[in-house]
Amino acid sequence: MSLAASRNGQAARRAGIVGALTAHSSPMSNLAPLNNLITRFQEQTPIRASSLIITLYGDAIEPHGGTVWLGSLINLLEPIGINERLIRTSIFRLTKEGWLTAEKVGRRSYYSLTGTGRRRFEKAFKRVYSPSQPAWDGAWTLVLLSQLEAGKRKALREELEWQGFGAMAPNLLGCPRADRADLAATLRDLEASDDSIVFETHTQEVLASKAMRAQVRESWRIDELGQQYSEFIQLFRPLWQGLKEQQQLDAQDCFLARTLLIHEYRRLLLRDPQLPDELLPGDWEGRAARQLCRNLYRLVFAKAEEWLNAALETADGPLPDVNEGFYRRFGGLV
């Protein structure tokens, strides 16, 4: 095939998808499990448009250079049930909060993540796509808060819980795999360094005794988190099965499935302290949820990329190719 013919073929495929985008009048798919997920998202009160836009930037836009035309973003998200007014309001809010920045070219606005916005999501998304967790050596980091005044103690507790710490006792937080640089930065930012006491334990021969596993279950509300992972599996396993049965995958279905998958999984991981396997129940649902997420993502990512490439525009035209790091997600996509 000649280069010209190849380009003509690509242009025809792009025109076909763009035509489907503009002609699309119903937000629903032919796949019932996908329709259920779209309806579930639409029925949230309030609808989480800003959060979904951040998911889209982190999962799909950033690997393509990070900047897109607002009009193409509006067309892309309409089938999920987010109308133009809500998208514009959400983009304005995200810009005001320092997540996004705008560049005007003629009458069009192009939005990209700010440097601060990129740093905010990189850490969370790294956890989403990581193939596995590093081995645990049995050491713990403990932070004693008893010398802090009440307001500062509450703020520090909330921040450290986001970093994976749990309450081991009143005013004592613990984490089996703390990032020491993050901990030091948090103490410094909250002006709590002088009034907090940080301990680091030595490696133990028995990493997880019966008492330790019981303490972990209590301190991190493991049963509650496990139930949330079970609900995730119940939501997305029928979609995985339905897509596997398709003779030919639909590009838009794959985009919608991928976006809602990562959106829900990212929200779960924000609540997950990422404890070592040694401290978790043998039947921990988080393992099955991760495998399901990885398998479903691998199934749909290529067709979803077709839809994204056709739907989104930059100031220079079509999206740039994805960066190399994209294909290393979940331990390798191809």
Side-chain angles (χ1 to χ4, degrees):
M1 180 185 291
S2 69
L3 181 60
S6 174
R7 285 175 173 169
N8 287 338
Q10 291 173 358
R13 284 192 296 275
R14 178 178 170 81
I17 292 179
V18 171
L21 274 165
T22 55
H24 188 77
S25 58
S26 168
M28 294 302 181
S29 156
N30 290 325
L31 277 172
L34 183 55
N35 289 341
N36 293 339
L37 286 165
I38 294 170
T39 300
R40 180 175 177 271
F41 178 83
Q42 293 172 351
E43 289 176 348
Q44 294 176 9
T45 308
I47 194 166
R48 298 174 58 86
S50 295
S51 180
L52 188 77
I53 290 169
I54 289 297
T55 296
L56 184 63
Y57 264 89
D59 179 65
I61 297 174
E62 192 63 20
H64 285 279
T67 303
V68 293
W69 171 45
L70 176 58
S72 63
L73 191 64
I74 290 168
N75 290 335
L76 185 71
L77 291 177
E78 185 182 12
I80 301 181
I82 309 176
N83 61 37
E84 179 177 348
R85 181 185 59 79
L86 182 53
I87 292 173
R88 289 185 182 276
T89 301
S90 300
I91 291 287
F92 175 77
R93 183 180 301 119
L94 289 168
T95 304
K96 193 173 181 180
E97 292 173 354
W99 282 94
L100 298 176
T101 183
E103 180 185 0
K104 200 90 168 173
V105 180
R107 299 181 63 181
R108 290 185 167 190
S109 295
Y110 297 83
Y111 284 86
S112 55
L113 287 165
T114 62
T116 303
R118 187 174 291 107
R119 286 190 297 273
R120 284 178 187 169
F121 87 79
E122 272 179 355
K123 188 171 183 180
F125 278 84
K126 184 178 179 181
R127 289 172 65 180
V128 171
Y129 306 119
S130 173
S132 61
Q133 291 202 70
W136 181 49
D137 63 3
W140 284 79
T141 299
L142 303 173
V143 184
L144 186 62
L145 310 178
S146 57
Q147 299 306 310
L148 287 164
E149 58 92 5
K152 194 173 289 187
R153 185 188 308 149
K154 181 175 183 293
L156 181 58
R157 181 188 294 272
E158 289 175 355
E159 186 62 34
L160 291 183
E161 285 177 351
W162 279 112
Q163 294 182 23
F165 281 80
M168 308 295 287
N171 298 323
L172 180 67
L173 301 182
C175 184
R177 195 155 41 199
D179 186 312
R180 295 172 189 176
D182 280 355
L183 173 58
T186 299
L187 293 174
R188 187 170 58 251
D189 291 346
L190 294 179
E191 299 179 350
S193 301
D194 290 341
D195 297 315
S196 302
I197 304 172
V198 178
F199 302 95
E200 290 186 352
T201 73
H202 295 295
T203 303
Q204 304 296 310
E205 287 186 13
V206 180
L207 298 184
S209 64
K210 179 181 177 183
M212 178 61 77
R213 286 195 297 272
Q215 181 66 51
V216 164
R217 198 168 213 134
E218 179 182 318
S219 297
W220 278 272
R221 300 191 294 275
I222 290 298
D223 292 340
E224 180 182 328
L225 183 59
Q227 180 59 38
Q228 291 168 350
Y229 272 124
S230 294
E231 291 169 3
F232 174 87
I233 292 168
Q234 291 165 15
L235 282 171
F236 284 94
R237 184 174 281 157
L239 177 59
W240 156 248
Q241 292 167 340
L243 285 165
K244 281 199 304 179
E245 293 169 0
Q246 299 289 303
Q247 290 187 342
Q248 185 172 354
L249 292 174
D250 178 81
Q252 186 185 32
D253 282 354
C254 288
F255 160 70
L256 295 171
R258 172 176 148 184
T259 301
L260 292 170
L261 171 74
I262 295 301
H263 183 61
E264 291 295 333
Y265 191 61
R266 179 175 73 91
R267 291 175 61 202
L268 264 180
L269 285 187
L270 286 173
R271 308 179 196 125
D272 189 338
Q274 300 284 282
L275 296 171
D277 270 350
E278 293 89 345
L279 299 174
L280 293 168
D283 59 351
W284 177 235
E285 291 284 24
R287 299 187 192 99
R290 178 156 202 82
Q291 184 175 357
L292 174 61
C293 183
R294 180 194 64 195
N295 291 345
L296 184 48
Y297 197 91
R298 285 176 173 172
L299 177 66
V300 301
F301 86 90
K303 277 289 185 179
E305 284 296 300
E306 288 183 17
W307 193 258
L308 289 163
N309 284 324
L312 293 176
E313 294 182 36
T314 72
D316 298 321
L319 288 179
D321 291 339
V322 290
N323 57 40
E324 291 183 7
F326 174 81
Y327 293 102
R328 293 195 291 269
R329 291 177 172 182
F330 296 106
L333 295 178
V334 292

